[in-house]
Amino acid sequence: MLRARPIHYTSRPEDWAAILHALGLVKTVDDGEWLEFDAGSGRLALGHVEHGHPLDGSTLFSVEVGDVDEFVRRTEEAGTQAEIHETPDATTARISADDGFEFFAFPATRAADGTWATSPEADPALAVVATWVSPLVELSAGVLRGIGARPRTSDDESATFTTKNGGILQIIHGADGTSGVLAFEYDGELEPLLARLTEAATEARISEGILYVANPDAAGGAAPASIVVERAPA
C-alpha cells in the first residue's frame, strides 16, 4: 500500500478547508489542530500553526503506507535507504536520498469497508500532487521507484510517479533537496472546478489550460500567490 499524503502547514486552516471542499476533497479527520482530507486520488493533511511560524505556508513531501515494517523491508531490498522512526504519535519510516533530502512514510488508516480506498464522496477526478525539489532528478527518481511508486513521465528536469493507492509524486529540478509546493491534477475539464470555487467566494482563474486558485497563505507573504491545478495528461 502506498499513497501520496503531503502535509500542508497553515495559519489559515478555515480558508484552506473551504478551498479544499470546493475542489472536491472530503474532510475525514478533525483533531482540532490537525485535519485530513481525501481526494479521489491521494490524501492531504492540514496542520495548524500560528502566523509567523517557520512552517506557515509550507508543504512537506510525505506518503502513507499500510505496514511500516514491511515497507522498510521492501524499500531496503530495492536499494533505497529507509529506517524505522518512532514519534510520540506513531511508528513511521524515514527515507533518505542522495541529495540530502529526507521524507517520511506514515501509517495509513483503512476505510470503513476495510480497504485502502479514500472517501467515496470525494471528487474522483481530483488528485493530490506531492512535490520534491532535487538537484539530482534521476537519482531521486530511483528513490521513488524504490518505495514502490510507478514511473509515469520523465525528462532531464522532472519526473512524475503514480502510487498504487492514489496521488501523484513529482520531482522537479532545483538547487537543493527540499519539499516543493502543494499542487493538484484534475482528470476533466477545469471549468466546473472554477464554478465551484467561484460559488465558494474563492478567487480563481483559468489561464492557458491551468487553474490558478488564490492561496490563503500568500496574504502573509509566506507562500506563492496561487495554488495550481493542472489537467491530468491524456
Side-chain angles (χ1 to χ4, degrees):
M1 187 276 176
L2 179 70
R3 176 184 288 125
R5 198 212 66 174
I7 305 169
H8 185 77
Y9 291 96
T10 179
S11 58
R12 299 170 173 82
E14 292 183 358
D15 294 336
W16 266 96
I19 290 171
L20 296 176
H21 177 73
L23 286 174
L25 288 90
V26 174
K27 183 166 63 177
T28 55
V29 174
D30 187 346
D31 288 337
E33 302 295 292
W34 182 266
L35 309 173
E36 292 184 13
F37 295 82
D38 279 3
S41 181
R43 181 171 287 151
L44 171 66
L46 202 66
H48 181 209
V49 295
E50 295 301 320
H51 177 66
H53 189 284
L55 288 175
D56 190 15
S58 65
T59 305
L60 297 186
F61 181 98
S62 65
V63 299
E64 59 182 23
V65 298
D67 185 314
V68 173
D69 291 320
E70 180 66 9
F71 169 79
V72 168
R73 184 188 69 79
R74 291 186 178 184
T75 298
E76 289 183 322
E77 281 186 355
T80 291
Q81 184 178 344
E83 61 183 355
I84 296 295
H85 181 76
E86 299 288 350
T87 74
D89 300 318
T91 297
T92 66
R94 178 166 56 198
I95 301 94
S96 302
D98 290 340
D99 65 357
F101 184 60
E102 294 181 339
F103 65 94
F104 291 88
F106 295 86
T109 302
R110 291 184 184 273
D113 62 1
T115 70
W116 297 116
T118 56
S119 172
E121 299 174 4
D123 187 333
L126 189 75
V128 176
V129 181
T131 303
W132 170 3
V133 181
S134 175
L136 307 170
V137 171
E138 185 175 351
L139 287 176
S140 298
V143 171
L144 295 188
R145 287 193 293 270
I147 69 170
R150 301 166 174 172
R152 185 177 68 164
T153 65
S154 65
D155 54 41
D156 292 341
E157 297 294 319
S158 66
T160 64
F161 293 77
T162 59
T163 59
K164 180 179 180 181
N165 300 90
I168 307 297
L169 304 179
Q170 173 179 254
I171 302 171
I172 59 174
H173 185 265
D176 301 301
T178 186
S179 294
V181 298
L182 176 66
F184 299 92
E185 280 190 3
Y186 197 71
D187 189 13
E189 298 298 325
L190 297 175
E191 284 75 9
L193 280 186
L194 177 61
R196 295 205 305 248
L197 289 160
T198 301
E199 185 177 350
T202 297
E203 182 182 346
R205 62 185 174 87
I206 295 175
S207 178
E208 297 182 352
I210 298 174
L211 175 61
Y212 295 92
V213 184
N215 188 339
D217 299 320
S226 299
I227 306 158
V228 173
V229 184
E230 294 193 62
R231 285 283 305 274

